[in-house]
Amino acid sequence: MLDTVPFLQIPENLPPEKHRDFAILTMVGILGFSAHVVFLVCFLIFGVYSMAYFNVASCFLFAVVFMANRQIDSNSATLLTVAIGEIILHAIFAVVIIGWDSNFHYYLFLAMMTSFLANNFSKKSYVSNIIAFISYIGLYFYTSNFAPIQEISETGMFTFGIMNLISAGVMVVTITAYFNYVASESAKKFMASNTELSQQAEELTTQSEKLSKANKHTMDSIKYALRIQEAMLPSSKELSQILGNENYMVFYSPKDIISGDFFWCKETNNKKIIVVGDCTGHGVPGAMLTMIGESLLNGIVEKGITQPSLILDALQTYFSTLFISRDDVRDGMDISICTIDNKQNRLSFAGAKNPLIYIQNNEIKIIKGNRMSIGQTFTRKFMPRDFTNHQIDIRVPTTFYMYSDGYQDQFGGENNTKFYSKNLRKLLLEVSEQPMKKQRLILKRTLFKWRNLRNQTDDVIVFGFKIDPNKSIEKTKSLEEQILESEYENNEISDEVIQKQLEIDQMINKK
């Protein structure tokens, strides 16, 4: 005779990994036996004798499951399979005999939950749940096309419907609660048997709390740094005053909370200067460099320097001296600068690695920057000292794009490859005729779709602006323009909304 264990008590010599199965089978045995006894009486009262006979066999089966689970060396996997199989068969027979409104199909969900709890999302649980799900769908279509085998009174149908709804809910709660209770008791015994591990766990908890507080303090500091960085970037009001309400767009997406990419815009001496920079790294180090770069730009332009190549030369001079005493620092930035001279109908451009794309007459052109970054003094032995200044005629409508390498270097797609510059140029050409605010939305959606829920790998900035000599810049927005533009504002369509939409699209495609 095999040894048995006391009622509801976990065996002392039962391995911890088997406590879960013991708990679930215990509750399944008790609840299964009790429920079938109750429904046996109900079936007899309402004259459903075929199900009454079925319940007699089910009562015996769950009693065997409960008693067999008491045995120290019982096969819990087999017992669980028998119990889940009975639940599924009982639900099928009951729905076919007396109808869908009896709510016996709810027990199929109970079988699913029991399988997942016991098998911990293993192959067995998926097989059991597939069978239960197929049974549910099959019963639904069967009852939609065929009448129940046996008709019972409205009182009987109502009674079964309410009882099954309550019974299934109580079973789910009870099994889950006992499962949690057994897990808790097992954890207590394990901790009690090993005082040293318990002390270590307390120390780890204390350290975790300290780390959590330190992390919160760090995150609060970074969020405050974000406010400082945002304050230094040109506001939408400033950009509108310089470029016009409908003549620009900025797609600015930091990888982390704060960014190593930045944009800068200033109007001085009847010239408009636009800058897009990509500093070394991202996050806090990159953000610190952006603030240095923006401060230097303000100082350079205030001295009356507006030609892009001269601004880059001045930046190179200032930046190269920052870390002159440190041979191990190679920080700097890739940057592109445009100066608009409306009187001369020309735009000047110079770049440190970063290019400029412009579109005229539906034809895309690219001007590459010099192959030298700002601050990389170790390359000056091999690269020309001065940056090249390029002139572009803007007597015809022209759309310009300045950007960092974050967009084109973003990994994604079916093969998890980079987006690449050729695809970015193609995309910019396709959207160039759209309103600037809508272009930003298209760029944002395209990048999210390309990433396909993957993490962003770098800071991203794309700055676009349009010059049309035939149109004057409007300084104020009409009410209609504000309503139209609100569709494309940053806060109206957030990253979370687009990501959720992609998740929904994936679910639809899988179906």
Side-chain angles (χ1 to χ4, degrees):
M1 182 70 178
L2 296 174
D3 293 335
T4 60
V5 295
F7 189 76
L8 293 181
Q9 182 178 335
I10 302 173
E12 294 292 338
N13 57 343
L14 188 67
E17 61 270 16
K18 291 187 176 182
H19 287 185
R20 177 184 62 211
D21 295 343
F22 177 86
I24 293 174
L25 282 170
T26 297
M27 279 295 100
V28 167
I30 294 173
L31 295 176
F33 179 83
S34 302
H36 283 87
V37 169
V38 173
F39 278 102
L40 171 61
V41 175
C42 291
F43 285 133
L44 291 173
I45 292 174
F46 294 107
V48 189
Y49 298 111
S50 57
M51 287 305 303
Y53 300 144
F54 194 111
N55 273 36
V56 171
S58 296
C59 290
F60 176 76
L61 183 144
F62 279 100
V64 171
V65 167
F66 178 83
M67 295 306 298
N69 191 44
R70 306 293 92 196
Q71 309 299 320
I72 299 299
D73 58 349
S74 64
N75 189 330
S76 58
T78 301
L79 294 176
L80 184 67
T81 301
V82 171
I84 292 176
E86 194 284 334
I87 295 173
I88 294 174
L89 285 176
H90 192 281
I92 293 172
F93 278 105
V95 172
V96 169
I97 292 172
I98 63 176
W100 181 268
D101 292 338
S102 63
N103 287 339
F104 275 100
H105 52 276
Y106 285 149
Y107 292 101
L108 295 173
F109 295 108
L110 177 65
M112 294 181 189
M113 185 209 72
T114 304
S115 178
F116 273 136
L117 284 177
N119 295 309
N120 197 23
F121 295 90
S122 66
K123 290 182 179 179
K124 292 180 181 179
S125 65
Y126 285 112
V127 171
S128 298
N129 280 278
I130 289 172
I131 294 173
F133 181 75
I134 292 175
S135 300
Y136 183 92
I137 298 298
L139 286 173
Y140 176 80
F141 283 105
Y142 176 85
T143 54
S144 299
N145 294 280
F146 298 97
I149 294 175
Q150 181 177 346
E151 293 186 3
I152 62 175
S153 64
E154 292 183 2
T155 302
M157 186 65 74
F158 177 79
T159 301
F160 283 121
I162 294 298
M163 289 183 62
N164 284 320
L165 183 62
I166 296 174
S167 175
V170 169
M171 288 184 181
V172 168
V173 172
T174 305
I175 292 175
T176 304
Y178 186 64
F179 172 81
N180 291 331
Y181 166 76
V182 170
S184 176
E185 290 299 313
S186 298
K188 289 180 181 178
K189 289 181 180 180
F190 179 77
M191 295 298 292
S193 64
N194 198 328
T195 306
E196 183 178 354
L197 286 179
S198 178
Q199 293 174 348
Q200 291 179 359
E202 291 178 1
E203 292 177 3
L204 287 174
T205 301
T206 302
Q207 293 297 324
S208 177
E209 291 176 354
K210 291 181 179 179
L211 288 174
S212 178
K213 291 180 180 179
N215 181 64
K216 183 180 184 302
H217 178 73
T218 302
M219 292 302 297
D220 289 342
S221 299
I222 292 175
K223 290 178 180 178
Y224 192 80
L226 172 63
R227 295 172 58 186
I228 297 174
Q229 187 180 45
E230 288 179 339
M232 296 190 68
L233 295 174
S235 66
S236 58
K237 181 178 180 181
E238 292 171 329
L239 292 173
S240 295
Q241 289 176 343
I242 296 173
L243 300 173
N245 299 328
E246 305 300 325
N247 295 335
Y248 79 94
M249 70 88 187
V250 184
F251 175 37
Y252 180 63
S253 178
K255 175 185 180 296
D256 302 310
I257 297 176
I258 50 181
S259 175
D261 289 0
F262 73 97
F263 57 97
W264 185 90
C265 190
K266 186 77 70 175
E267 184 171 10
T268 180
N269 298 327
N270 294 320
K271 294 179 180 179
K272 301 165 185 176
I273 305 170
I274 304 168
V275 178
V276 168
D278 179 4
C279 296
T280 304
H282 41 75
V284 175
M288 293 179 67
L289 289 176
T290 67
M291 301 176 75
I292 293 173
E294 290 170 353
S295 178
L296 291 176
L297 284 168
N298 284 319
I300 293 169
V301 173
E302 285 176 359
K303 293 180 179 179
I305 301 175
T306 59
Q307 183 173 302
S309 58
L310 296 181
I311 295 175
L312 288 179
D313 288 336
L315 275 175
Q316 185 70 285
T317 300
Y318 288 130
F319 224 95
S320 299
T321 59
L322 289 177
F323 307 111
I324 194 170
S325 62
R326 296 294 302 270
D327 295 332
D328 58 337
V329 178
R330 292 291 184 266
D331 291 313
M333 68 176 70
D334 300 337
I335 189 170
S336 54
I337 302 177
C338 288
T339 298
I340 304 172
D341 189 341
N342 287 321
K343 289 186 177 181
Q344 301 294 327
N345 284 321
R346 68 183 182 184
L347 179 143
S348 302
F349 164 76
K353 283 198 173 179
N354 279 0
L356 173 71
I357 284 179
Y358 68 99
I359 299 172
Q360 288 181 339
N361 299 319
N362 204 32
E363 181 181 356
I364 188 168
K365 298 179 182 179
I366 181 170
I367 301 177
K368 296 182 178 180
N370 291 86
R371 297 181 61 188
M372 177 170 61
S373 296
I374 298 298
Q376 292 185 344
T377 54
F378 63 94
T379 64
R380 295 178 67 94
K381 296 179 181 179
F382 312 102
M383 300 295 178
R385 176 179 178 80
D386 298 330
F387 287 92
T388 306
N389 205 63
H390 303 269
Q391 304 287 338
I392 302 172
D393 188 351
I394 55 173
R395 286 178 293 182
V396 296
T398 310
T399 304
F400 295 88
Y401 297 98
M402 307 162 70
Y403 53 90
S404 67
D405 59 4
Y407 201 108
Q408 63 193 35
D409 287 350
Q410 178 61 51
F411 283 87
E414 294 181 358
N415 300 320
N416 196 28
T417 58
K418 290 184 178 181
F419 191 81
Y420 291 120
S421 58
K422 63 178 181 179
N423 292 323
L424 177 57
R425 292 196 297 269
K426 180 181 178 182
L427 176 61
L428 293 176
L429 179 61
E430 290 174 351
V431 304
S432 60
E433 296 299 321
Q434 298 286 345
M436 298 304 293
K437 303 304 179 184
K438 188 172 183 180
Q439 290 187 34
R440 178 193 176 278
L441 177 59
I442 295 173
L443 288 171
K444 186 173 185 178
R445 286 188 180 277
T446 302
L447 186 64
F448 266 76
K449 187 175 181 180
W450 176 257
R451 281 169 47 194
N452 197 20
L453 307 181
R454 297 180 180 91
N455 291 329
Q456 188 171 321
T457 55
D458 196 3
D459 298 320
V460 174
I461 182 172
V462 180
F463 193 111
F465 59 96
K466 186 178 296 184
I467 300 176
D468 189 348
N470 300 320
K471 294 182 180 180
S472 60
I473 295 177
E474 296 183 11
K475 298 295 184 178
T476 58
K477 302 178 185 178
S478 67
L479 179 60
E480 291 79 12
E481 289 173 328
Q482 294 180 47
I483 295 174
L484 178 63
E485 184 176 329
S486 67
E487 298 179 7
Y488 312 114
E489 285 298 321
N490 298 357
N491 295 331
E492 288 295 328
I493 302 177
S494 65
D495 294 352
E496 291 77 10
V497 171
I498 295 179
Q499 182 164 334
K500 189 65 178 177
Q501 183 62 50
L502 288 174
E503 292 175 351
I504 294 172
D505 292 343
Q506 282 189 341
M507 292 174 62
I508 293 174
N509 292 333
K510 288 181 179 178
K511 290 182 178 179

